[in-house]
Amino acid sequence: MTTDLLIIAEAGVNHNGSLDRALEMVDVAADAGADVIKFQTFSADKLARKDAQLAEYQKTSDGDTRSQWDLLKGLELSHSDFLAIRERCAERGIVFLSTGFDLDELRFLVTEIEIPMVKIASGDLTFAPMLFDAGLTGLPVILSTGMADLAEIEKALGFIAVGFGVKHGLLDADAVPTAATRELAWNNDAIRALLVGNVTILHCTTQYPAPLEILNLRAMVTISEAFGIPVGYSDHSLGGVASTIAVSLGATVIEKHFTLDKELEGPDHAASLDVPELNAFVARLREVGVALGSPVKACQPEEVSNRAAVRRSLVARVPIAAGETITADHLESRRPGAGRTSFDFYEVVGTAAQQDYAVGEYLG
C-alpha cells in the first residue's frame, strides 16, 4: 500500500455561478491541503434539453417545477472565469481541474486551460465520443462509475483504449471505436498497459447524499480485481468515514464535494463538506495513508529494542548436567529474548546437553 493519495476537493457548481465565490473556494481547498480542486465546465444549452426534468436530489422542494436547463443556466461560468480560476490555482499551488460536459468544453480545457488529466463524470460513462476524445488527448483519465455495472465500465474503457491506441500510434490514425476496434484495442497488450498506467476508475454511488447502506465500498475492490487498473472513490456520502474506508481498501484517488456554506441554495451544498469539515477530512486521509504504510510485514527499526525486551529465551528450569537428555521439564521460556529463541523448544527436547546448565541459564 502506497502512502501516495490524490485528494480532489470537488467545488463542482457550489460557486453558484459566482467567480468570486469560485476563487474563494480555491483558497479554501489550498489551505486545507487538497491536491486538486475540481470544477464543472458546461453549457446548459449543450448539456440538457429544456424539458429535461430535475433529478430528485436537485429539487429544492417537492413542488420544484424548474427544468435541468433552468438550474444549469444559473450555475455556468465563462471561459474567462475558468482562466482566472486557473491563475488563482497556480498562485496557491493547487492543481486546477474541471470536468468538461461536452466535446467543445473538453477541448477548451485541454488546449487553453491545459488541464493535467481528464475527469469523466458518472453521467458520461456512456457518452462514447467523450470517452474516445478523452483517450485521444493522451492525458491520464479519471473515470467515475456511478450507476454503472462491470460490463458498462469495460465498455467505457474500450472507447478510451481506442483513443489511446490512436494517440500513441498503436492503431490506425483514422480508427474509430466500433465494437471490432474496441475489441482489438482491448486485446492489445501495449494499449492495455496504457490503460493501467493512465486510467483511474472511481467507484461512486450517484445519490446526494448517499446513505452508507448503498455505498458498497467492497465494489471498489471488485473493480480493481476485474480490470487491474488503479481505483479510487468519489464520495457523495455525509462525513468522512466512507473515504477513510476507501483509502484502506486501496483507493489512490478520493474526490469529495465541499462548499463555503451548506445553507446556500443549490443542488450539492447540503451533501458537501463545509470549510472546517474539509480541513479535518484532508488531514484524516493523510493520516490514513501514512498509517497504511508498506505491505511488507517486518520488524520495524523502532521495534528492535522492544523485541529483545519482550520475547523469550530458552533457559534451564532445573540444573542440567552435560550429556543429560533434555526433557520438557528441564526447560522454561523467560524474558529477555537474548538467548536461544523459544521457537527451538521442541528441537532442543530430546537432545543431549552440550554442557552443564545452572538454573536460569540460557541454553546454547
Side-chain angles (χ1 to χ4, degrees):
M1 183 70 64
T2 178
T3 57
D4 292 335
L5 175 67
L6 188 74
I7 299 177
I8 301 175
E10 171 68 74
V13 295
N14 281 347
H15 48 72
N16 284 14
S18 165
L19 174 59
D20 287 343
R21 186 174 287 125
L23 295 174
E24 185 178 354
M25 295 185 81
V26 171
D27 293 335
V28 166
D31 289 342
D35 300 297
V36 177
I37 182 168
K38 191 180 81 65
F39 293 87
Q40 297 175 9
T41 305
F42 58 86
S43 162
D45 292 331
K46 294 179 181 179
L47 182 54
R49 285 169 49 112
K50 290 190 177 181
D51 60 353
Q53 297 301 301
L54 293 173
E56 285 302 314
Y57 79 89
Q58 294 174 324
K59 296 178 180 179
T60 58
S61 68
D62 290 339
D64 195 338
T65 60
R66 293 177 300 165
S67 68
Q68 279 197 45
W69 184 92
D70 293 325
L71 174 68
L72 293 167
K73 196 64 180 175
L75 299 173
E76 289 179 346
L77 290 173
S78 69
H79 284 187
S80 61
D81 288 338
F82 282 113
L83 288 166
I85 295 168
R86 182 195 63 180
E87 293 308 309
R88 178 65 66 89
C89 288
E91 292 168 4
R92 293 304 316 274
I94 187 170
V95 174
F96 171 90
L97 185 61
S98 189
T99 298
F101 280 86
D102 63 66
L103 301 185
D104 289 337
E105 301 298 358
L106 175 62
R107 289 169 191 141
F108 161 72
L109 291 168
V110 171
T111 60
E112 296 190 44
I113 296 290
E114 298 182 332
I115 53 174
M117 64 196 79
V118 174
K119 170 66 198 301
I120 297 176
S122 291
D124 286 342
L125 183 95
T126 62
F127 185 6
M130 176 69 77
L131 298 166
F132 181 45
D133 275 18
L136 286 173
T137 69
L139 295 171
V141 175
I142 299 176
L143 177 67
S144 277
T145 61
M147 306 171 288
D149 58 29
L150 287 179
E152 290 175 319
I153 296 171
E154 181 173 335
K155 194 168 186 177
L157 290 171
F159 287 97
I160 298 171
V162 175
F164 278 162
V166 172
K167 176 67 176 179
H168 290 275
L170 299 168
L171 295 174
D172 292 341
D174 59 353
V176 293
T178 61
T181 309
R182 296 198 308 272
E183 183 176 3
L184 180 67
W186 190 252
N187 292 318
N188 182 298
D189 289 343
I191 296 176
R192 286 294 287 273
L194 288 170
L195 287 175
V196 172
N198 293 281
V199 175
T200 302
I201 303 172
L202 301 191
H203 176 51
C204 177
T205 304
T206 305
Q207 177 62 296
Y208 303 82
L212 294 179
E213 58 268 23
I214 69 169
L215 300 184
N216 297 322
L217 291 171
R218 288 192 179 98
M220 192 178 69
V221 179
T222 302
I223 293 168
S224 176
E225 292 174 347
F227 302 112
I229 289 174
V231 293
Y233 183 53
S234 182
D235 186 1
H236 296 158
S237 67
L238 296 176
V241 64
S243 287
T244 301
I245 295 169
V247 174
S248 73
L249 290 173
T252 60
V253 175
I254 294 291
E255 179 181 83
K256 184 76 170 176
H257 281 78
F258 77 103
T259 180
L260 301 180
D261 183 352
K262 292 185 180 185
E263 300 302 317
L264 288 170
E265 182 178 345
D268 297 333
H269 293 288
S272 299
L273 300 172
D274 62 21
V275 177
E277 288 172 334
L278 178 66
N279 291 332
F281 176 82
V282 174
R284 183 184 306 115
L285 291 189
R286 298 297 186 206
E287 291 175 345
V288 172
V290 171
L292 285 170
S294 166
V296 176
K297 176 58 180 171
C299 181
Q300 297 300 301
E302 295 82 357
E303 295 180 292
V304 172
S305 61
N306 296 330
R307 179 171 59 183
V310 302
R311 285 190 171 177
R312 300 170 186 256
S313 300
L314 287 177
V315 299
R317 189 176 69 84
V318 296
I320 305 173
E324 187 174 358
T325 300
I326 299 173
T327 68
D329 290 338
H330 287 129
L331 302 177
E332 284 185 331
S333 296
R334 295 185 188 177
R335 294 178 177 178
R340 186 168 182 174
T341 173
S342 291
F343 264 145
D344 292 343
F345 185 96
Y346 295 100
E347 305 301 322
V348 170
V349 170
T351 65
Q354 298 300 305
Q355 64 182 66
D356 293 335
Y357 292 103
V359 174
E361 186 175 352
Y362 293 125
L363 264 73

